[in-house]
Amino acid sequence: MIELCTFPLILFFIVIVLLIFSLQLKSFKDSVKREIEILRKDIIKIKEKIEKIYPELKEELKEPEAKIEIGKLGKEIIPADIRIQKKEEKKVFERLSANIFIWIGALSFVLASAFLIKYSIEKGLISPSVRVLMGIFFGLVLLLLGEFIQKRSRKVGDGISAGGIGVLYLSLYSTVSIYHLIPPALGFFLMAIVTAIAVLLSFFRSPVIAILGLLGGFLTPILIRFEEPRPENVFPFIIILQIALGMVALKRNWFYLLFLSLLGGFLWSFFWLILFFEKPHFLWVGFYAIISSAFFNLFFAKKELASKTQYVYLGKASVVSSFIILSMLTKISNFELKEWIFFSFVLTATLIISRLKIQYSNLAYISLAFVLFLLFLWKPVLQLDINRYLLTCLFYSSLFIFLPWIFMLIWKSEKEEQWALLSSISSILFFLLAYYKAYELKGFHWGIVTLILSFLFSFFTLISFKIFDKKVVSIFAISASLFLSLTVPLELKREWIAVAWAMEIPAIIFISDWLKIPKIKGFLIILTIFVMFRLLNPFVLEYPIGDMVIFNWITYGFGIPILSMALSAWKAYRMKDKSLSELWQGCTIFLFFVYITLQIRQAFHPGKVISRNFFIEEWGVISIFWLLLAISLILLHRKLGIRSLIISSKWIIIATIIQSLFCQIIFYNPMIYCSSVGSIPIINKLIILYLLPSFLFAIAGKEMERKGRKTLPYFCYSFSLLLLFLFVTLEVRQIYRGEFIYSGKATLAEKYTYSIAWILMGILLVIIGIIRRSDILRYSSLVVMVISIFKVFLYDSLALKDLYRILSFVGLGVSLFLLAYLYHNVVFKRENGDF
């Protein structure tokens, strides 16, 4: 069978490819001729107008401004009122969505007849080889047809060509992975040819073809599976594909294609490290990370691209993706030396790039974050591991301390204070991390280390007096004083140290204001950092807290610092020191945020805040209180006008979004996490977990929208809709499965009820949106209906049978026509003033 199918298939495939490219060249030639003819006609018209008498010419030029002209090739509208056009453009999405609902609703009825064709295939009326040859033939015919139609309608031709490429991908996949008619190596080669066709066509055709080639190319190694995954087969192909797509993107100015190619390569290396990685693979993965990052940054080194913001961000993203891959490689390889070499190479190159290109200067801090994160993940146990860990910390701390100094002193830098700050911050963070990991090391005196660092930064301070400005001098002086202040309390480990330090802050600021002591600001900031670090260190949770709620150590250990920070912020505000006041305001709010969270933990786990056990309703309560805090801060900002209140509320909302995503939606979702949701339908734990946070997200989004925020309200509305959608879905599941919904098999009735519940939810949202004149609710209903459409088409059509399947399609069609009716007869008429 393989010999019978393979040779004719390859020969026919190559012939058709040659025909396609010959037609493409001819099509390009014809299009150039058409453009020249159009330009010639325009020149003749202009010449005729110039020959006319000037008054008549003026009148002729004035007339088109008030007319609506309709050309031969389509509508060319010149509106009389620009505001009407803008209003129409603003509502294009809703109108298009409503029309799509009509098309899909009609299609849902038509699809019921498509199962008859599926029946003939299931009965084996067509052999696999014939199916594959028919699919490949059909795909090639579509490519030829697209080339032919492209002369008359470019968009239609592009769509047909894209369909042909998709059919070829699916046919070749079926040939190799489903029917096993040809070997995987040949299938991989043929799919690579299809990808090459898509990429080459992208130089002249629609971006849809480029995206299709991108998806097919990155999915080829997945679709064509070898017996043993080898990186030498995958990563060279991925690199070549990224370079080819990059050339297309730069030629056609398709920025998003560059972004997608970078994302595809990153995801490939990411999942390779998770699923297939073995120690011999480190060379391929490491070299890929380096080459990919170098490719993107070298491409963007051109002057015309280096000044564009989006390409700068993409270059930074390529560096960050390389750091992520190399960090994973180092972690998976148990922090061995050869992986650290790859990481150090990219790190050093990044620091040099940060110095050469001012747009990339913040990459130095990003690279520092990755190093610290890796060292934080490293858990040395044996004495030898601890020694190796400390040597690694010493190497990277020396790199971050002295390389910025070299940039400033020898290799003149434009942002001297930024490199001085990097040197100081990195030294502090590396020391704290080393102390945290190895503070129990016997015979090691950490006080000597702090003294050495204090003398080093004092030396930097003395040299900086004659060379650099006061900002650089103050940064080094603060670092020296900080390391000197660390020497005394280094060995103190009691829970009241942070409380005592916090009480010192308002005392010092009151005394400095009374005695007019200058330049105390830096020391106060350092002391604040120490207080925050001590209070937010994980070992705080090991203190004896007590078993009561509110009346426990959390109230004293955090309450006193909260009051101290608030008093200090008030005093700094009276002294007209805005930066210090905002710093302590932020610390006050953040500590109160942590205090609320710990008290919730204490309520669910008395005396065991450090417990790793979580209840599902606990996450719901956390989200509720966080959102209530954020809404309260927004209302206080409305009354007091303090900027830190609105900023803090924004970050609390972001934290709630992240917590809801990972805890309530993913990890502690009762569908996958074994926990009781309650035995009573509707009135159960799902209200706390999903419904109440959904309402509070909507309120927070509305308040943020009133404050003029643009992006965050849409995230709030999105999560409000997502949580409401989960609430409806899980309530349906609870009705059929009872108290524990993570197990059991869904019946046909349950599967059908999901579709009905989602459709009713979408209809209810659009009705409420029409009544309240809310665009957000109407858009939310569109999203829910789209999900319902996908479920009916992609799941119900396969999972449901008999009457349930027919009712699912009929119900969807009816509901979509109802929505379209509401839009056309209520929403659009109201907008036009006819309702």
Side-chain angles (χ1 to χ4, degrees):
M1 181 65 69
I2 294 175
E3 294 178 357
L4 182 63
C5 295
T6 303
F7 180 73
L9 188 148
I10 295 174
L11 183 61
F12 186 61
F13 189 79
I14 292 173
V15 171
I16 294 298
V17 168
L18 294 176
L19 285 174
I20 289 171
F21 280 108
S22 63
L23 289 173
Q24 179 64 40
L25 291 174
K26 186 176 182 302
S27 174
F28 179 71
K29 179 182 176 182
D30 294 339
S31 64
V32 172
K33 286 183 178 179
R34 288 196 300 269
E35 293 294 333
I36 293 173
E37 183 66 22
I38 292 171
L39 289 174
R40 188 182 67 81
K41 292 180 180 179
D42 290 341
I43 292 172
I44 292 173
K45 289 181 180 179
I46 294 171
K47 185 178 179 181
E48 291 176 353
K49 289 181 181 180
I50 293 175
E51 292 175 353
K52 291 183 180 180
I53 302 172
Y54 287 99
E56 295 179 1
L57 180 62
K58 290 180 181 179
E59 294 296 327
E60 181 184 353
L61 292 175
K62 288 180 180 179
E63 286 180 3
E65 295 179 1
K67 288 198 293 186
I68 297 178
E69 297 181 357
I70 300 178
K72 296 180 180 179
L73 299 178
K75 293 190 294 183
E76 184 183 352
I77 300 175
I78 305 175
D81 193 348
I82 301 298
R83 290 177 295 177
I84 296 176
Q85 182 181 2
K86 289 184 177 180
K87 184 177 179 181
E88 290 298 323
E89 291 175 353
K90 186 177 179 182
K91 298 299 179 180
V92 164
F93 174 73
E94 277 191 287
R95 293 182 180 274
L96 182 60
S97 300
N99 292 328
I100 288 175
F101 284 162
I102 296 175
W103 304 333
I104 297 176
L107 183 61
S108 65
F109 291 113
V110 175
L111 274 179
S113 63
F115 290 103
L116 180 62
I117 301 173
K118 180 176 177 291
Y119 173 79
S120 64
I121 296 176
E122 289 176 348
K123 295 300 182 180
L125 301 179
I126 304 175
S127 64
S129 58
V130 175
R131 292 180 207 169
V132 168
L133 289 174
M134 288 177 62
I136 294 175
F137 177 76
F138 182 59
L140 295 173
V141 169
L142 285 178
L143 283 177
L144 290 173
L145 184 62
E147 291 298 321
F148 178 75
I149 295 180
Q150 196 261 349
K151 300 176 183 178
R152 294 167 175 78
S153 177
R154 187 177 183 87
K155 292 183 178 180
V156 175
D158 290 342
I160 294 175
S161 298
I165 292 171
V167 170
L168 286 175
Y169 274 128
L170 292 175
S171 301
L172 291 174
Y173 165 70
S174 302
T175 305
V176 180
S177 300
I178 297 178
Y179 302 120
H180 308 290
L181 298 177
I182 60 176
L186 179 58
F188 188 91
F189 174 72
L190 292 176
M191 291 191 78
I193 291 179
V194 176
T195 302
I197 293 172
V199 173
L200 290 174
L201 287 176
S202 303
F203 279 99
F204 311 101
R205 305 289 288 276
S206 163
V208 176
I209 298 177
I211 294 175
L212 192 61
L214 179 143
L215 292 174
F218 281 113
L219 290 176
T220 293
I222 299 176
L223 299 176
I224 307 299
R225 294 186 179 181
F226 294 90
E227 294 181 359
E228 181 181 354
R230 292 179 170 274
E232 58 268 23
N233 295 333
V234 175
F235 286 103
F237 174 75
I238 297 298
I239 290 173
I240 294 172
L241 180 61
Q242 279 189 324
I243 293 174
L245 291 171
M247 294 175 65
V248 173
L250 294 177
K251 175 72 175 178
R252 302 296 303 274
N253 195 23
W254 291 341
F255 169 77
Y256 54 86
L257 188 62
L258 278 171
F259 171 76
L260 291 175
S261 64
L262 173 63
L263 180 62
F266 169 74
L267 292 176
W268 246 113
S269 51
F270 179 83
F271 286 108
W272 186 279
L273 288 172
I274 294 176
L275 301 175
F276 307 115
F277 179 75
E278 297 177 1
K279 284 192 176 182
H281 298 173
F282 82 95
L283 277 174
W284 288 101
V285 179
F287 279 122
Y288 165 75
I290 294 173
I291 293 172
S292 177
S293 178
F295 160 71
F296 280 98
N297 284 282
L298 288 176
F299 258 49
F300 303 152
K302 299 179 180 180
K303 291 183 178 180
E304 60 270 18
L305 299 179
S307 58
K308 294 184 178 181
T309 305
Q310 64 267 32
Y311 290 101
V312 173
Y313 281 119
L314 193 60
K316 294 179 181 180
S318 67
V319 175
V320 171
S321 66
S322 296
F323 272 123
I324 294 174
I325 297 303
L326 292 175
S327 300
M328 292 179 62
L329 181 64
T330 307
K331 175 66 172 63
I332 294 172
S333 301
N334 199 22
F335 303 96
E336 293 185 0
L337 178 61
K338 54 183 180 295
E339 282 76 20
W340 279 115
I341 292 174
F342 275 108
F343 188 89
S344 301
F345 177 81
V346 175
L347 175 65
T348 306
T350 302
L351 291 175
I352 294 174
I353 291 174
S354 303
R355 166 60 188 87
L356 291 175
K357 297 183 178 181
I358 192 170
Q359 305 99 315
Y360 287 73
S361 57
N362 54 0
L363 282 179
Y365 290 90
I366 295 175
S367 62
L368 172 63
F370 275 102
V371 177
L372 293 170
F373 182 69
L374 266 182
L375 291 174
F376 178 78
L377 294 179
W378 192 354
K379 296 180 180 180
V381 179
L382 302 176
Q383 182 68 36
L384 181 63
D385 293 336
I386 295 176
N387 293 337
R388 192 159 64 93
Y389 182 87
L390 293 177
L391 288 174
T392 306
C393 287
L394 178 62
F395 169 76
Y396 284 111
S397 61
S398 301
L399 186 67
F400 276 96
I401 290 173
F402 292 105
L403 197 59
W405 179 256
I406 293 172
F407 290 164
M408 295 166 56
L409 193 62
I410 300 174
W411 196 2
K412 299 298 183 180
S413 175
E414 297 182 12
K415 292 186 176 181
E416 296 171 346
E417 66 275 7
Q418 176 177 327
W419 293 105
L421 188 62
L422 177 66
S423 178
S424 300
I425 291 177
S426 61
S427 64
I428 296 167
L429 294 177
F430 276 115
F431 171 78
L432 294 175
L433 188 59
Y435 177 74
Y436 172 71
K437 291 287 186 177
Y439 70 95
E440 293 181 352
L441 186 63
K442 295 181 180 179
F444 193 84
H445 299 285
W446 293 98
I448 296 177
V449 177
T450 56
L451 283 176
I452 292 173
L453 290 171
S454 178
F455 286 136
L456 176 64
F457 280 99
S458 298
F459 174 73
F460 287 168
T461 304
L462 293 175
I463 295 179
S464 301
F465 267 118
K466 298 181 180 180
I467 302 176
F468 305 117
D469 58 12
K470 294 181 179 179
K471 291 183 179 179
V472 175
V473 175
S474 62
I475 290 172
F476 287 138
I478 289 171
S479 301
S481 61
L482 177 59
F483 281 114
L484 187 62
S485 64
L486 278 175
T487 305
V488 176
L490 200 56
E491 298 301 325
L492 297 178
K493 301 176 183 178
R494 297 179 182 178
E495 56 267 30
W496 295 104
I497 293 177
V499 177
W501 284 350
M503 294 175 67
E504 288 180 12
I505 294 175
I508 292 173
I509 193 172
F510 273 94
I511 293 173
S512 63
D513 183 46
W514 180 38
L515 299 177
K516 306 299 180 184
I517 301 175
K519 298 181 180 179
I520 201 67
K521 180 177 180 179
F523 180 74
L524 289 171
I525 294 175
I526 293 170
L527 191 58
T528 304
I529 292 173
F530 273 100
V531 172
M532 298 299 290
F533 177 77
R534 292 287 297 183
L535 285 176
L536 302 178
N537 202 304
F539 70 78
V540 171
L541 302 178
E542 299 177 359
Y543 292 161
I545 295 174
D547 296 330
M548 298 180 66
V549 182
I550 305 298
F551 301 101
N552 48 45
W553 179 87
I554 299 173
T555 299
Y556 306 120
F558 280 84
I560 295 175
I562 288 171
L563 293 175
S564 299
M565 295 287 183
L567 183 60
S568 302
W570 174 79
K571 183 60 179 177
Y573 179 79
R574 294 289 300 272
M575 294 170 61
K576 297 183 179 180
D577 193 331
K578 184 179 179 181
S579 58
L580 271 182
S581 178
E582 290 185 346
L583 170 66
W584 286 321
Q585 289 169 15
C587 291
T588 303
I589 295 170
F590 185 70
L591 288 178
F592 189 68
F593 171 80
V594 176
Y595 169 77
I596 289 175
T597 307
L598 292 178
Q599 288 291 5
I600 294 173
R601 290 284 295 163
Q602 174 73 0
F604 282 93
H605 309 276
K608 298 178 181 179
V609 177
I610 200 173
S611 173
R612 296 183 180 181
N613 298 322
F614 289 90
F615 300 103
I616 57 171
E617 62 270 25
E618 182 178 350
W619 292 114
V621 173
I622 289 174
S623 295
I624 290 169
F625 275 91
W626 285 3
L627 289 171
L628 287 174
L629 176 61
I631 295 169
S632 301
L633 292 175
I634 297 172
L635 296 177
L636 281 175
H637 174 265
R638 185 187 301 175
K639 184 176 181 180
L640 302 177
I642 299 176
R643 191 168 70 100
S644 60
L645 295 174
I646 192 67
I647 294 174
S648 300
S649 65
K650 180 186 73 172
W651 286 110
I652 292 172
I653 292 172
I654 292 173
T656 311
I657 290 173
I658 296 172
Q659 185 271 129
S660 299
L661 175 64
F662 287 101
C663 298
Q664 295 168 243
I665 298 175
I666 299 178
F667 295 114
Y668 288 88
N669 190 321
M671 290 179 63
I672 58 175
Y673 183 72
C674 179
S675 181
S676 170
V677 298
S679 57
I680 303 174
I682 308 301
I683 304 174
N684 47 47
K685 296 178 183 179
L686 295 175
I687 294 177
I688 298 175
L689 191 60
Y690 295 113
L691 185 60
L692 292 180
S694 172
F695 289 151
L696 290 175
F697 265 122
I699 295 172
K702 192 67 177 178
E703 292 296 330
M704 275 292 177
E705 195 172 9
R706 289 176 179 173
K707 294 297 180 182
R709 299 300 190 271
K710 296 181 179 180
T711 304
L712 190 57
Y714 290 105
F715 277 98
C716 292
Y717 294 141
S718 300
F719 266 81
S720 176
L721 175 63
L722 179 58
L723 293 176
L724 182 61
F725 180 80
L726 281 173
F727 173 75
V728 172
T729 304
L730 295 182
E731 286 291 354
V732 172
R733 193 179 180 94
Q734 196 274 343
I735 291 172
Y736 283 95
R737 305 192 188 189
E739 185 177 358
F740 295 92
I741 63 175
Y742 75 97
S743 61
K745 187 176 181 181
T747 61
L748 292 178
E750 181 182 345
K751 296 175 183 178
Y752 178 69
T753 307
Y754 288 132
S755 301
I756 295 299
W758 295 351
I759 291 171
L760 291 176
M761 176 183 171
I763 294 173
L764 182 62
L765 286 174
V766 77
I767 291 173
I768 297 174
I770 291 172
I771 294 173
R772 296 185 59 84
R773 298 176 180 269
S774 172
D775 293 342
I776 295 298
L777 289 174
R778 294 206 307 270
Y779 293 151
S780 301
S781 72
L782 297 180
V783 173
V784 174
M785 292 307 300
V786 168
I787 295 173
S788 303
I789 291 168
F790 275 101
K791 179 181 181 294
V792 172
F793 280 15
L794 301 180
Y795 183 79
D796 290 359
S797 60
L798 299 175
L800 297 181
K801 296 180 181 179
D802 302 329
L803 189 59
Y804 282 113
R805 177 190 290 174
I806 296 170
L807 289 176
S808 179
F809 277 98
V810 172
L812 177 63
V814 171
S815 62
L816 291 177
F817 276 111
L818 175 61
L819 280 180
Y821 175 82
L822 289 175
Y823 269 100
H824 284 284
N825 291 275
V826 178
V827 178
F828 298 152
K829 284 188 177 182
R830 176 188 289 168
E831 293 169 359
N832 297 328
D834 300 332
F835 183 70

